[in-house]
Amino acid sequence: MHFPALSPLQSRFAASLAASIILVLIYVTVVHTHIAYAADSISPEDHNHRRIYDLHEAQELIGEGKYEPNFYGADRGIIGRAAEDVTPLENNEPGELDIGDGQTQNWVFPRDKLFGPKAPATPGLPPSKRSTEKEEVIGEGETDTELRKRQQGVQTLHITLNTCKQPISNASGVATAPQLLLYVSQSPGNQKPGPTGPPDQQTIVQVDEGYGNLTLNATGDVYIGVAVAGLSSGFSGQYHYEVAASIDAPYHSYNDTDPNLLLVDTDVASALLITRNLTRVDPKENASVIEEWKKVKPPFVMFAHNTNDSAVEGLRHSYCGLKAHAQMATSSNGTIDAAMTTRGLDGLPKEQFFVKGLNKSSNYMGVLAMEGNSTAAGKGVVGGGGSVWKAMSFPTKKDGNCQILFDLPFCNDVAYAAPSNPTNRTLVDSLATIYDDNAKRLYRNFSNALALTACDAETTERYSLVRGCSDCAAAYKTWLCSVSIPRCDDFSSTAPHLRPRNVLARFPDGSPPPPLLNQAAIDDSTSAFGNQSRVPIVDGEVKPGPYKEVLPCIELCYGLVQNCPASLQFACPLMGKGAEYSYGQRSADGDVTCSFPGAAHQLSEGWCLRPREARWTGAVVVMTALLVGRMW
């Protein structure tokens, strides 16, 4: 056959077409061979083999209408969709809805999010542990155990719920609205768990005081239901809640073991509280860490409410519930001031809260909380929903002639109520200055006496090989501030560790003190110890009337004697021979039965002032007028 002659252009096109056909044939041959080998080489050691087996099983079940596929990394727009009215959740991003009586709302955390990437780390607080202890970083990543679980197709999932609002009772004295119910299912046959779901295919979580959580090992889509059941007609309004799922850590949290909040002291209208130490580093070896903590924004917030207030009942474990309904809060209405402090003998950072606007003779609940994870909050943040700690209670004082002082310029470790006079507004406003200036003046007398000591002499000529003049000065300042600023309590209090003062005087408003009820109090009324104050300035300038004093701890006197040269002639009395009128002793149960720097109610043993191991002799306190004037 005669083929027509091709032009040069046609010849080039024919050659290119032939080459393209050959390349396509080679590509198809190679690809088919690769797929065959991949399918044939599945072994139990291959951690992806389970997913490929699932594909074959799913294809068989789809034809029978029994299974909706869930594939790692696959979007439902391609492979199918979840049941209707089921809302997907993102990692660390809460869903929020209102819900009414008899309703059930459903959510799903998809498999592709379950095995998706962990959240990035957020900026953290300064170190909280010693250098030998490992720091926990929020959003740090997987541990070896977590990695192995993920390779086996298992992931730890944290599901949490916070109730932010609940229906209100239409009548007084009626119990609060019932708690929400949280349902969780991993069964494809129960994609809408709830009150009518099969019990063997779902887990029921009873929400408690607005908080519910469930941590589980998940392998695929996780289905969540939130329901209301048993709400009577005596309530109006709806619930509002947040529900979240996280592969990193719980988005919301509640600590039911330790309030982490300690009462320092109260007066009739305010209270001072502190957290426990926020770090365990050695202040001397890690001064820079302590400075970092001093500069950080206070990481905690505090909520407070009168125990007679029912607005937070049913929401006490929920951050968003407390934020919306607590009477007092750090950040909302300015009734609670927060600041960092290193006050106390350990010199470690803590956060303090000054609560204002309280009522006298009342009981309050205090709740420590954290917005987000302290450095970040909200959607997409690990722990972004906030944390709440167990509540603690505190009472306010009754009599009105004690006033909280703290953050004084000189006596910077003083933080408690001191004798006051509420009828003198000018004195109330300047009370801290009056006490602090008096202590500073007395300290100058001591400094003059200490200057006569050879502090800078050769080691062999000093008064101690292990103590120096700086140790003596610090011990004296601690002792002086504690005895020159008495720690005040109600005269009406019957606590056995309190020492009555000014027992025959009238209160600042002119009313007489209550009658003396026991022989010990009657004896005090005729003695100098009971019929006047420890410090002349209290009776002469403050004029508080009758009050009771929390005596300084006798260890403060011991520390003074141990740290100072004998030439200053300091000595301590013995208990049973005069010391009981001027000094108190610590309680084993953590209550404040004597005063010392940093004292707070219910401190653990590690926080308590520990006496140095030494034995003491002498029966009286020998202190010259040059140093202190009259103080017991």
Side-chain angles (χ1 to χ4, degrees):
M1 178 182 295
H2 177 72
F3 292 97
L6 298 176
S7 68
L9 179 62
Q10 290 173 328
S11 299
R12 286 195 296 271
F13 174 78
S16 299
L17 178 62
S20 298
I21 293 173
I22 294 171
L23 288 174
V24 169
L25 292 174
I26 294 172
Y27 172 80
V28 171
T29 303
V30 171
V31 169
H32 276 278
T33 305
H34 174 71
I35 293 174
Y37 279 123
D40 291 343
S41 65
I42 295 173
S43 66
E45 289 73 26
D46 181 357
H47 65 266
N48 288 311
H49 78 280
R50 181 66 256 173
R51 296 170 186 157
I52 300 174
Y53 286 148
D54 288 345
L55 172 61
H56 296 306
E57 294 168 358
Q59 289 173 337
E60 296 174 1
L61 292 173
I62 288 173
E64 302 174 13
K66 296 180 181 180
Y67 178 75
E68 183 177 356
N70 299 302
F71 300 130
Y72 177 70
D75 184 87
R76 284 197 171 276
I78 300 174
I79 63 174
R81 299 189 179 277
E84 294 182 0
D85 301 325
V86 177
T87 306
L89 289 171
E90 298 286 331
N91 188 38
N92 296 307
E93 295 192 9
E96 296 184 57
L97 283 176
D98 290 332
I99 187 171
D101 186 33
Q103 288 185 305
T104 300
Q105 295 169 348
N106 293 100
W107 309 80
V108 61
F109 191 71
R111 181 185 178 112
D112 63 315
K113 304 300 179 184
L114 182 70
F115 292 99
K118 294 263 187 174
T122 57
L125 293 167
S128 62
K129 299 180 180 180
R130 300 182 183 92
S131 58
T132 56
E133 300 174 302
K134 182 181 179 182
E135 286 286 336
E136 180 181 353
V137 179
I138 298 174
E140 184 178 40
E142 293 180 307
T143 64
D144 291 341
T145 302
E146 290 174 329
L147 179 59
R148 285 194 296 270
K149 288 172 66 177
R150 280 167 60 86
Q151 290 173 339
Q152 295 166 3
V154 179
Q155 176 65 281
T156 299
L157 182 66
H158 307 276
I159 300 172
T160 56
L161 180 144
N162 264 194
T163 306
C164 306
K165 184 184 75 172
Q166 60 188 359
I168 301 173
S169 172
N170 297 325
S172 60
V174 178
T176 57
Q179 296 286 304
L180 294 174
L181 294 171
L182 178 64
Y183 297 83
V184 179
S185 165
Q186 294 194 68
S187 171
N190 183 23
Q191 296 186 20
K192 301 177 77 172
T196 60
D200 60 338
Q201 295 183 21
Q202 61 186 18
T203 299
I204 304 175
V205 178
Q206 179 63 59
V207 176
D208 182 29
E209 289 290 334
Y211 173 74
N213 76 302
L214 179 67
T215 298
L216 65 154
N217 290 325
T219 57
D221 290 350
V222 178
Y223 306 98
I224 301 166
V226 179
V228 178
L231 184 65
S232 69
S233 59
F235 292 88
S236 59
Q238 292 186 312
Y239 296 86
H240 183 79
Y241 69 90
E242 295 179 351
V243 64
S246 173
I247 59 174
D248 302 286
Y251 185 78
H252 313 89
S253 66
Y254 171 67
N255 185 319
D256 62 354
T257 58
D258 183 2
N260 198 27
L261 189 63
L262 304 166
L263 175 65
V264 176
D265 209 351
T266 67
D267 54 30
V268 293
S270 57
L272 185 65
L273 303 97
I274 58 171
T275 65
R276 296 190 184 276
N277 289 335
L278 300 182
T279 181
R280 295 196 293 270
V281 301
D282 187 324
K284 295 180 180 179
E285 297 178 0
N286 300 272
S288 60
V289 173
I290 303 302
E291 289 303 313
E292 283 185 66
W293 274 104
K294 289 180 181 179
K295 296 175 182 177
V296 300
K297 177 184 176 182
F300 295 97
V301 297
M302 179 185 167
F303 300 107
H305 60 276
N306 193 297
T307 54
N308 294 326
D309 182 75
S310 60
V312 296
E313 287 188 19
L315 303 171
R316 292 188 180 98
H317 302 169
S318 163
Y319 181 84
C320 63
L322 288 169
K323 184 177 181 179
H325 300 284
Q327 282 182 314
M328 290 156 279
T330 302
S331 56
S332 62
N333 51 18
T335 53
I336 302 179
D337 297 331
M340 299 299 294
T341 180
T342 55
R343 185 174 54 244
L345 296 179
D346 49 28
L348 293 174
K350 315 161 187 65
E351 187 174 344
Q352 72 177 16
F353 301 94
F354 184 52
V355 188
K356 300 167 289 186
L358 305 180
N359 298 322
K360 63 185 293 186
S361 302
S362 300
N363 291 312
Y364 288 85
M365 301 298 295
V367 180
L368 186 72
M370 180 179 286
E371 183 177 10
N373 61 28
S374 80
T375 58
K379 292 184 177 181
V381 175
V382 180
S387 300
V388 176
W389 277 257
K390 180 181 178 181
M392 51 83 71
S393 62
F394 60 92
T396 52
K397 287 184 170 60
K398 173 184 178 182
D399 294 344
N401 57 346
C402 297
Q403 179 182 333
I404 288 182
L405 306 177
F406 63 99
D407 290 347
L408 277 61
F410 179 71
C411 290
N412 53 305
D413 279 336
V414 165
Y416 48 75
S420 182
N421 185 337
T423 64
N424 187 336
R425 189 69 249 176
T426 302
L427 181 139
V428 168
D429 293 339
S430 60
L431 189 66
T433 301
I434 291 172
Y435 280 117
D436 202 46
D437 286 351
N438 181 60
K440 193 186 306 181
R441 176 181 60 80
L442 296 172
Y443 185 82
R444 282 197 295 267
N445 295 336
F446 161 79
S447 295
N448 294 334
L450 186 61
L452 302 176
T453 302
C455 296
D456 299 323
E458 294 294 331
T459 304
T460 55
E461 298 178 10
R462 294 181 184 178
Y463 70 89
S464 172
L465 295 177
V466 294
R467 301 283 184 245
C469 289
S470 60
D471 298 309
C472 177
Y476 183 81
K477 179 184 174 183
T478 298
W479 172 86
L480 174 65
C481 291
S482 296
V483 298
S484 65
I485 308 178
R487 182 163 183 155
C488 176
D489 211 328
D490 286 331
F491 189 76
S492 57
S493 175
T494 59
H497 63 274
L498 298 176
R499 175 61 59 180
R501 303 295 190 201
N502 287 347
V503 297
L504 298 181
R506 288 180 173 268
F507 285 105
D509 62 2
S511 60
L516 303 175
L517 301 179
N518 55 61
Q519 187 60 46
I522 294 172
D523 292 342
D524 280 337
S525 69
T526 61
S527 70
F529 296 109
N531 209 17
Q532 59 185 340
S533 297
R534 177 194 294 272
V535 188
I537 193 176
V538 176
D539 297 335
E541 188 170 349
V542 179
K543 301 177 182 179
Y547 66 95
K548 289 185 177 178
E549 181 184 355
V550 181
L551 300 176
C553 294
I554 196 168
E555 285 83 9
L556 300 181
C557 183
Y558 294 163
L560 181 62
V561 175
Q562 186 177 25
N563 285 281
C564 291
S567 60
L568 294 181
Q569 301 182 29
F570 291 126
C572 296
L574 297 176
M575 284 296 177
K577 295 184 180 181
E580 64 273 15
Y581 292 103
S582 299
Y583 295 101
Q585 294 179 305
R586 298 192 318 276
S587 169
D589 62 5
D591 197 13
V592 178
T593 55
C594 66
S595 182
F596 63 90
H601 295 268
Q602 302 303 318
L603 286 179
S604 65
E605 181 183 356
W607 280 53
C608 291
L609 176 67
R610 297 188 179 188
R612 298 185 183 276
E613 295 181 0
R615 296 185 179 181
W616 305 99
T617 59
V620 295
V621 182
V622 181
M623 299 176 188
T624 65
L626 170 66
L627 299 183
V628 295
R630 175 176 69 79
M631 284 190 294
W632 311 314

